[in-house]
Amino acid sequence: MPISPQRSRSFARFPQSQYVVTAVPLTVTPASAGTASPSSSNWSPTPTSSQRSAATSSQSSPEGPRGRLQPQGPPPPSLKLPEATMAIKPTQTTSAMSEAVAMTKGPGLIRRISRGAANKLTRRRTSTSNANSRDNSSGPVILRRRSDSKGGAENGREFVDFNNDDNDEEAIEEGNGTIAVEGIGEAMRSFGRDSASGNHRDGGIAPLIPTILKQGTLLTKVTRKRRRNLKFLLDIDSAKVIWDASKPSTKRFYIDDLREIRKGADARNYREEFGVPAEFEHRWFTIIYADQERSKGRPFKAMHLIASNDYVFELWTTTLENISKFRSDIMAGLAGSGEKSIKAHWRREMDKMFGVTPHAEEEEKMDLEGVEKLCRNLHINCSKNLIRAQFANADTDNTGYLMYEHFKNFVTRLKERKDIKEIFKATAKDHKAGLDLEEFFNFLRVTQGIHVDSDRAHWEKAFEKVIQRSKPKGQAQRNSEDSSSPRMQFEAFSAFLSSNSNSAIMTGRPHTLLDKPLNEYFISSSHNTYLLGRQVVGESSPEAYIDSLQRGCRCVEIDCWDGADGQPMVSHGRTLTTKVPFSDCIAVIGKYAFVSSPYPLIISLEVHCNAEQQVIMTDIMKNVLGDRLLLEPLMTNACSLPSPEELKNRILIKVKAPGEEGTEESTQSTEITGRQHRSLSSPFSRPIILDNSVITSSPLVPSPPPSSPPEWSSGFWETGRGSITGGTGTSASSVTDDSDTNPATPVSLQKEKKKARSKIVKPLGDLGVYTRGEKYRDFSLNESRSTNHVFSFAERTFDNLCRDPDMKAQLEKHNVRCLMRVYPSAHRIKSSNFDPNRFWRRGVQMVATNWQTYDLGTQMNNAMFAAGSDRTGYVLKPKELRKAKYGTDLIDDVSAARMKKDKKLVKFSVEMISAQQLPRLRSMGSDDNIHPYIELEVFCADDKARGVASGEGGMDASARHGMSGIGSPHRRRTKIVHSNGYNPTYNDNMKVSLETKFPSLVFVRWTVWNSADGRNYGNTNDPLATYTAKLDSLRQGYRHLPLFDMNGEQFLFSTLFCKIKKEEALSLECHDARSAKVGTLKQFGRSVFNRTLSIERRRSKEEVS
């Protein structure tokens, strides 16, 4: 890959030979140790005495991830999405004026505002109390994503004690000695105790902490502006790393926020980006961690460090990884049935209490205050009355203290699942003896709806495995030698219901062959994939591609612009978003393209580069992607597209063909904006109406409906929780080269527009083999009949086409045989999303959403590609969207094309039994109680005025008119449980019936809310957690539903326990019968809605208006 002149100059700053101090200082200079000037010809990662004396104490904050990455070596461990804090961050308010001003002023003023005053107006100061509360946390609340994970944690969990492996001890050799860093499998060692003391305690595990890291070592912190040698120390009691002792609350990161430590070739992109010579690669490491404040809209940060020698390098990288794993394992183990995790927490508290002071075991005890504090550190959010009651029950000697055995009894009582115990008693003939194999199989068949006989060996193994894991190790070994038939006791039964084997949706590897043509699948697609934050002022980074590809995305977008140094750049054009080299993006795509799915990856190029840089783009893709890049058809003269199975491990390029006709850009810009100098590629091309109102921000909540004003002029909540932004306008980065029609021009006039030759050069255009981008003009033209073309529409343009019934019918018919892509509007400056059902129901294959925003649109998109074979990123479209009932000509048989689809009656029920260990809002005090209730929403793909839904059980919170469809979900609520966020019980059975043309596009969302006063609904804007699933993907029976935070991260142990029952969808055959049914359902709905509270009626009026 060619190196730009700019990068060559940055390399020249470093001499070929460097003097490096390899000795590790026992006494380290303060954090104010000096700065080496970037322009110094003698720069070294180790400071000299003169550098230390001349330095100041200020340093830059970690920069957002970006830079170069070479496609070498195996894929690194999976990069996770931002992890939530110990509690959820409250809604932030932003003045609409500050955003509107930024869109109406010139670029120079925008830059000045964005760099100065705007940050002061919108950025929240870190709360000292929140930071201090994290210092006492015993571990993370977010389930870490593993390197083989598709995108999030699995939907089920293995809650088994974490000390099952014996042979995973680690030691790092250096020189003549062994570094005191050991992994899981070693005896428990206190976090706060000196690792050199040699004292071991029975009953737990933990990594040993080198004394030198607690005292601090010098590391070179590298940013774009400077290189500074600073003292980094490990505060193990608070589980954080500090690099400025005078500012421990800001110059730090928590180990629980750690996402990944990259080193060697995996971090080479950053090293080259900052101009550091290759000789430092073996001591360079990059720490990627969650940005809890989401500064600049980015979900995580990257800190780049150079160790003084290999010894210190291994110390830091290995210790941080081991501590992170240990803290995650110990929290997960607490939810299991084993004793070792309980002992580990007890041991940690006793070591904090006594330190290294000799003491007898009888002195180790904990009073009520200590137990309450420990429960808070373990994120057990229950009332003090419950803790006191369980404490009194465990304190059998009435001493006011708990010894270890009493403490174990206390934890066991607190974890007791009475709801599952009732199920167990009803399932087992003799609950004291336990379930035998046949009773277990009968439970799977009848209650869980599982076809056991189709894979009997698998379920026999699962039965034996859960029994063995739920028992102490010695007893499990004795039982394995026993010839009698094993029986499943209550602990094993409870563990099974919480395990991956009993997940709410199927998570196993797919067995289905994806052998249909490519156009017969929905394809997981991302819009503006390169962005980490908002599409106007966000940050561009290759990390965004890593994240999307690891989450199963199969169509990524790259917006290419001319680079100043002759190298193409990727950015959201004419905005304040940062730039990243095109070569970096292709490098990470080449490296991570197939880590989550072997099926074809589509790269959607939006090209704004000149001819010379287009050739460079072509060379980069061919050199980096190699044989995986598809350069020619698999078969000549084929009448249909190949299947995903045939395109396995291949990369397709979506790009316009060379010399293709398109719409003139300058004419469009003049017609719409009246300004010659402003292109439609800018989101500032339309007049803006200033609004001084305050914008609320809630990523878990959908946006306003299509009739709403632009996104920045109204809050998310003004149109109700179930609505979704329809949006207006076209994508800021997609109009000129990628969109199909001018949204300001009527569709009927599109054919009359002047035509200009495509500016795509032949080498680049020839890469569009099966995905050749075409400007839409009319379905009667030849380009609409070829199988290898792709039409791309902005959401508003698509909606305009669908307003005409004949045009809508032709569009749907087009999507039966050919590919189409739809992307969000430019005016979604917060990168919000539309309802993807609007486009899936029309057969659109690539519905591109903003993955960086976890709103309802993203949640539905995640749910679409979450289960079984859907996890490959390809979902087979419903039969009615794949098979046409009319001729092959897109403009013939219009009357047949407009034939209405048959509606089906869909029925299902959800019994909301209980919730487990719900998270706490960050804004809540430590003594504030949680009053949770659950809201169930059902989303379908029918038009808002034509869908009909009804329900029973719980409280009906739907729109008063009783209709269901796009923007109007059917909604029900449970009762409010007062002062119990730990194990609230509901036992509300909700039954839902709906008529829909698209039964496979029904989605269900559970949202956990907190009632501020414990009595009224809807008095908070911040949900505690959420989960969305496609109805077809949900499995029947008793299931634990995983819960996700506002960033889309799965909570480690927060779940909803439900019983799900589904009925087969029934066709409604005759029109009269359907009409009668509609009338009956409407009458029933009105009888229910008339009894709603006044606050609900007021909200319904707002939704209708």
Side-chain angles (χ1 to χ4, degrees):
M1 184 182 304
I3 300 177
S4 65
Q6 182 178 358
R7 180 159 297 180
S8 299
R9 290 194 296 270
S10 64
F11 272 49
R13 294 201 303 264
F14 297 87
Q16 294 302 315
S17 60
Q18 297 285 335
Y19 173 75
V20 179
V21 178
T22 57
V24 180
L26 297 180
T27 303
V28 189
T29 57
S32 60
T35 303
S37 172
S39 60
S40 173
S41 60
N42 294 319
W43 179 85
S44 171
T46 304
T48 63
S49 59
S50 62
Q51 290 171 339
R52 286 194 294 265
S53 63
T56 61
S57 60
S58 62
Q59 75 264 2
S60 302
S61 298
E63 293 196 357
R66 57 184 176 183
R68 294 187 177 272
L69 181 64
Q70 301 296 333
Q72 299 179 13
S78 173
L79 174 65
K80 290 182 62 178
L81 285 177
E83 176 177 319
T85 62
M86 300 308 105
I88 297 177
K89 187 175 181 178
T91 299
Q92 300 183 18
T93 58
T94 305
S95 171
M97 173 62 77
S98 63
E99 294 187 356
V101 168
M103 288 184 293
T104 54
K105 300 296 183 181
L109 178 60
I110 297 175
R111 290 192 182 96
R112 291 195 295 272
I113 292 177
S114 64
R115 293 172 183 172
N119 289 338
K120 296 180 181 179
L121 289 173
T122 59
R123 187 174 300 175
R124 297 178 69 251
R125 184 178 298 275
T126 303
S127 171
T128 303
S129 60
N130 289 335
N132 292 339
S133 66
R134 293 202 62 185
D135 289 349
N136 298 319
S137 172
S138 296
V141 295
I142 295 297
L143 189 60
R144 297 190 66 191
R145 185 183 303 134
R146 301 301 180 185
S147 59
D148 58 348
S149 172
K150 171 180 175 177
E154 297 288 344
N155 291 319
R157 303 157 303 158
E158 297 291 349
F159 281 164
V160 186
D161 205 22
F162 59 88
N163 191 25
N164 289 326
D165 299 327
D166 295 326
N167 301 319
D168 43 4
E169 179 177 329
E170 298 177 9
I172 303 170
E173 300 293 333
E174 171 64 23
N176 298 324
T178 302
I179 298 177
V181 179
E182 300 179 21
I184 305 302
E186 185 60 33
M188 173 65 184
R189 185 67 52 87
S190 164
F191 277 163
R193 184 166 298 178
D194 190 339
S195 63
S197 63
N199 296 325
H200 288 260
R201 291 288 187 131
D202 181 35
I205 56 174
L208 302 181
I209 309 303
T211 304
I212 189 174
L213 298 188
K214 293 187 288 184
Q215 294 176 346
T217 68
L218 283 180
L219 297 174
T220 301
K221 184 171 177 288
V222 182
T223 66
R224 191 166 301 279
K225 296 180 179 180
R226 65 179 72 184
R227 283 85 171 167
R228 294 182 55 78
N229 294 278
L230 302 169
K231 179 183 177 181
F232 280 72
L233 59 90
L234 179 61
D235 183 351
I236 197 61
D237 291 327
S238 302
K240 61 184 177 183
V241 175
I242 302 172
W243 59 90
D244 189 341
S246 64
K247 301 177 182 178
S249 62
T250 57
K251 303 302 181 181
R252 53 92 181 110
F253 71 85
Y254 286 93
I255 296 178
D256 291 339
D257 291 337
L258 187 65
R259 287 288 151 273
E260 188 175 353
I261 299 178
R262 294 187 188 165
K263 46 194 175 182
D266 292 334
R268 184 174 299 156
N269 58 312
Y270 294 116
R271 178 183 59 76
E272 293 185 354
E273 178 70 15
F274 294 116
V276 177
E279 61 189 272
F280 295 101
E281 181 169 296
H282 66 290
R283 289 186 280 117
W284 173 291
F285 61 104
T286 295
I287 299 174
I288 298 176
Y289 61 95
D291 182 2
Q292 298 299 338
E293 299 300 320
R294 294 185 71 88
S295 58
K296 300 181 181 179
R298 59 192 176 194
F300 41 77
K301 291 182 179 180
M303 178 182 290
H304 314 290
L305 302 170
I306 303 177
S308 57
N309 54 52
D310 293 341
Y311 179 88
V312 174
F313 172 85
E314 293 290 353
L315 275 179
W316 276 108
T317 56
T318 308
T319 303
L320 290 178
E321 289 173 346
N322 285 341
I323 294 175
S324 177
K325 185 179 188 303
F326 168 75
R327 288 175 63 86
S328 178
D329 288 345
I330 199 174
M331 292 300 290
L334 187 65
S337 58
E339 180 184 345
K340 289 188 179 296
S341 56
I342 301 176
K343 186 95 176 192
H345 285 289
W346 175 266
R347 184 77 272 129
R348 182 174 185 267
E349 293 300 313
M350 293 301 104
D351 285 334
K352 289 168 64 177
M353 184 182 302
F354 292 99
V356 295
T357 304
H359 61 278
E361 186 174 352
E362 293 75 16
E363 299 180 61
E364 296 184 347
K365 54 187 177 181
M366 193 179 302
D367 59 10
L368 177 60
E369 182 180 356
V371 170
E372 289 178 346
K373 180 179 178 181
L374 178 59
C375 287
R376 287 196 299 269
N377 296 343
L378 294 174
H379 318 295
I380 298 176
N381 299 316
C382 58
S383 66
K384 287 187 176 181
N385 290 335
L386 177 60
I387 295 178
R388 290 167 182 168
Q390 297 294 355
F391 183 93
N393 292 332
D395 183 16
T396 55
D397 298 333
N398 296 321
T399 61
Y401 294 93
L402 297 183
M403 308 293 284
Y404 172 69
E405 290 299 325
H406 298 142
F407 175 75
K408 184 173 67 173
N409 185 24
F410 169 82
V411 174
T412 302
R413 288 175 177 272
L414 206 59
K415 295 195 304 179
E416 185 180 13
R417 293 290 303 274
K418 295 180 180 179
D419 49 355
I420 295 181
K421 184 166 289 187
E422 294 299 321
I423 300 170
F424 180 73
K425 290 180 179 179
T427 303
K429 294 180 180 178
D430 183 357
H431 66 272
K432 294 183 179 179
L435 288 171
D436 61 22
L437 182 61
E438 288 305 318
E439 288 177 323
F440 177 67
F441 280 0
N442 185 65
F443 170 76
L444 296 180
R445 293 189 190 99
V446 177
T447 306
Q448 303 300 92
I450 296 175
H451 300 288
V452 178
D453 296 330
S454 62
D455 197 358
R456 186 181 180 92
H458 166 77
W459 291 109
E460 287 179 352
K461 184 177 180 180
F463 178 77
E464 297 173 357
K465 183 178 180 180
V466 74
I467 292 176
Q468 293 297 322
R469 285 194 170 188
S470 63
K471 295 180 179 179
K473 193 172 184 179
Q475 183 180 352
Q477 184 175 358
R478 290 193 300 271
N479 290 344
S480 63
E481 299 172 355
D482 191 355
S483 58
S484 60
S485 300
R487 302 184 75 91
M488 179 182 287
Q489 300 299 326
F490 168 70
E491 291 78 10
F493 182 75
S494 180
F496 168 77
L497 290 182
S498 301
S499 69
N500 286 337
S501 299
N502 193 58
S503 59
I505 60 176
M506 185 175 297
T507 58
R509 289 290 180 181
H511 301 289
T512 306
L513 289 177
L514 307 184
D515 54 1
K516 305 292 184 184
L518 202 63
N519 52 280
E520 296 194 18
Y521 293 87
F522 294 127
I523 303 173
S524 180
S525 305
S526 168
H527 174 247
N528 289 348
T529 314
Y530 48 87
L531 289 180
L532 294 174
R534 298 182 182 182
Q535 62 176 339
V536 176
V537 294
E539 182 171 355
S540 305
S541 172
E543 297 292 341
Y545 290 97
I546 297 175
D547 177 68
S548 297
L549 291 171
Q550 288 178 335
R551 294 164 62 191
C553 185
R554 294 292 85 196
C555 178
V556 297
E557 182 182 18
I558 305 181
D559 293 355
C560 313
W561 297 80
D562 289 330
D565 60 353
Q567 297 293 319
M569 304 295 290
V570 175
S571 179
H572 199 212
R574 299 180 178 90
T575 64
L576 298 181
T577 56
T578 60
K579 298 179 180 180
V580 64
F582 175 79
S583 58
D584 289 5
C585 298
I586 295 300
V588 297
I589 289 173
K591 190 166 188 175
Y592 291 85
F594 303 106
V595 295
S596 65
S597 172
Y599 291 99
L601 173 68
I602 300 172
I603 300 177
S604 179
L605 293 180
E606 182 182 323
V607 183
H608 303 267
C609 297
N610 59 35
E612 180 182 353
Q613 295 198 22
Q614 288 184 41
V615 174
I616 295 176
M617 289 172 54
T618 306
D619 293 340
I620 290 174
M621 288 188 287
K622 288 184 176 180
N623 293 335
V624 174
L625 303 179
D627 295 338
R628 295 171 297 175
L629 182 62
L630 189 69
L631 300 177
E632 57 186 19
L634 301 181
M635 296 180 61
T636 58
N637 300 323
C639 58
S640 65
L641 291 171
S643 68
E645 207 72 41
E646 295 171 315
L647 292 170
K648 262 188 175 180
N649 298 307
R650 304 304 296 268
I651 297 176
L652 281 63
I653 304 298
K654 175 188 170 295
V655 63
K656 291 177 64 176
E660 290 293 325
E661 295 182 344
T663 304
E664 285 190 352
E665 302 169 20
S666 60
T667 303
Q668 292 183 7
S669 179
T670 303
E671 288 179 357
I672 296 179
T673 69
R675 297 185 181 185
Q676 295 287 343
H677 67 280
R678 209 162 276 173
S679 167
L680 271 181
S681 180
S682 170
F684 314 134
S685 60
R686 295 181 181 271
I688 303 300
I689 300 175
L690 296 182
D691 188 347
N692 295 328
S693 62
V694 175
I695 302 174
T696 59
S697 173
S698 180
L700 289 179
V701 182
S703 315
S707 59
S708 300
E711 180 186 359
W712 56 83
S713 64
S714 62
F716 281 109
W717 286 102
E718 294 181 10
T719 55
R721 293 176 185 163
S723 59
I724 305 182
T725 301
T728 58
T730 55
S731 176
S733 63
S734 304
V735 175
T736 51
D737 281 351
D738 196 41
S739 64
D740 307 288
T741 59
N742 180 359
T745 305
V747 175
S748 60
L749 299 181
Q750 291 300 321
K751 291 182 287 184
E752 301 178 10
K753 294 292 295 179
K754 292 183 179 180
K755 301 176 180 63
R757 302 292 294 179
S758 170
K759 296 181 180 180
I760 303 299
V761 300
K762 181 173 173 52
L764 180 59
D766 287 345
L767 297 182
V769 179
Y770 290 118
T771 49
R772 187 185 68 211
E774 291 281 359
K775 285 279 186 181
Y776 167 77
R777 294 186 290 158
D778 193 271
F779 287 117
S780 63
L781 301 180
N782 290 332
E783 62 257 28
S784 300
R785 303 171 186 270
S786 63
T787 58
N788 67 333
H789 78 274
V790 181
F791 284 150
S792 290
F793 291 95
E795 56 174 303
R796 186 188 181 193
T797 307
F798 186 93
D799 290 339
N800 288 338
L801 284 174
C802 291
R803 287 192 178 98
D804 180 85
D806 292 342
M807 190 67 66
K808 180 176 68 174
Q810 294 181 35
L811 183 147
E812 292 179 353
K813 192 171 182 181
H814 168 275
N815 293 340
V816 171
R817 298 190 300 111
C818 307
L819 294 173
M820 183 175 289
R821 177 176 177 267
V822 176
Y823 52 86
S825 163
H827 292 289
R828 298 179 180 274
I829 60 175
K830 288 186 176 180
S831 296
S832 63
N833 287 294
F834 44 55
D835 185 342
N837 261 346
R838 286 165 51 196
F839 313 107
W840 285 330
R841 64 177 178 170
R842 306 299 179 205
V844 177
Q845 294 85 0
M846 291 173 279
V847 179
T849 56
N850 294 311
W851 286 36
Q852 67 270 33
T853 306
Y854 192 66
D855 56 8
L856 180 58
T858 297
Q859 294 167 29
M860 293 175 67
N861 188 77
N862 290 351
M864 169 64 82
F865 301 97
S869 60
D870 299 347
R871 294 164 60 86
T872 62
Y874 285 83
V875 173
L876 187 65
K877 294 196 292 186
K879 185 177 181 181
E880 59 268 19
L881 297 179
R882 292 186 286 121
K883 303 297 182 183
K885 299 180 180 180
Y886 28 82
T888 57
D889 195 319
L890 288 175
I891 62 173
D892 291 341
D893 303 321
V894 172
S895 58
R898 293 175 56 185
M899 180 170 41
K900 292 184 177 180
K901 300 180 179 67
D902 292 334
K903 279 191 174 184
K904 293 187 177 180
L905 180 63
V906 176
K907 292 185 177 182
F908 68 97
S909 65
V910 177
E911 183 180 353
M912 302 299 307
I913 301 174
S914 62
Q916 292 73 46
Q917 208 155 341
L918 297 176
R920 177 186 295 271
L921 287 172
R922 182 183 244 184
S923 58
M924 299 177 64
S926 59
D927 295 330
D928 294 342
N929 290 321
I930 297 178
H931 313 293
Y933 66 93
I934 302 168
E935 195 168 76
L936 181 76
E937 296 170 287
V938 182
F939 301 89
C940 63
D942 299 87
D943 290 331
K944 183 176 181 178
R946 298 180 181 178
V948 180
S950 65
E952 302 176 14
M955 175 182 290
D956 196 320
S958 303
R960 190 175 181 181
H961 48 69
M963 292 299 176
S964 175
I966 299 293
S968 181
H970 182 75
R971 186 184 296 122
R972 311 197 75 81
R973 291 171 177 161
T974 66
K975 63 185 179 183
I976 299 173
V977 177
H978 195 270
S979 301
N980 188 357
Y982 180 68
N983 56 356
T985 300
Y986 298 97
N987 291 324
D988 280 341
N989 191 13
M990 302 178 182
K991 299 180 180 179
V992 178
S993 300
L994 70 151
E995 295 180 8
T996 176
K997 299 177 183 177
F998 311 96
S1000 61
L1001 296 179
V1002 176
F1003 293 82
V1004 185
R1005 179 168 76 162
W1006 291 260
T1007 306
V1008 184
W1009 297 90
N1010 177 49
S1011 173
D1013 54 12
R1015 298 184 299 274
N1016 298 312
Y1017 295 90
N1019 50 17
T1020 57
N1021 288 341
D1022 300 303
L1024 299 177
T1026 188
Y1027 175 65
T1028 305
K1030 187 168 58 173
L1031 182 60
D1032 278 358
S1033 301
L1034 284 171
R1035 303 165 78 185
Q1036 296 194 88
Y1038 294 100
R1039 308 289 175 177
H1040 283 90
L1041 307 181
L1043 290 176
F1044 294 80
D1045 71 354
M1046 61 185 296
N1047 296 322
E1049 290 288 338
Q1050 183 179 338
F1051 288 106
L1052 182 62
F1053 28 58
S1054 300
T1055 58
L1056 298 179
F1057 186 48
C1058 306
K1059 184 179 182 181
I1060 301 170
K1061 185 177 180 180
K1062 300 189 296 184
E1063 298 183 18
E1064 186 177 354
L1066 300 176
S1067 297
L1068 301 175
E1069 298 180 352
C1070 66
H1071 176 74
D1072 292 338
R1074 288 199 302 270
S1075 300
K1077 185 66 177 179
V1078 168
T1080 302
L1081 291 175
K1082 284 183 178 179
Q1083 183 178 1
F1084 172 78
R1086 279 194 290 268
S1087 66
V1088 175
F1089 301 145
N1090 288 337
R1091 296 196 297 268
T1092 57
L1093 299 175
S1094 59
I1095 186 174
E1096 303 295 336
R1097 291 196 289 269
R1098 287 197 300 270
R1099 179 172 296 162
S1100 297
K1101 290 179 181 179
E1102 294 175 0
E1103 291 182 7
V1104 173
S1105 61

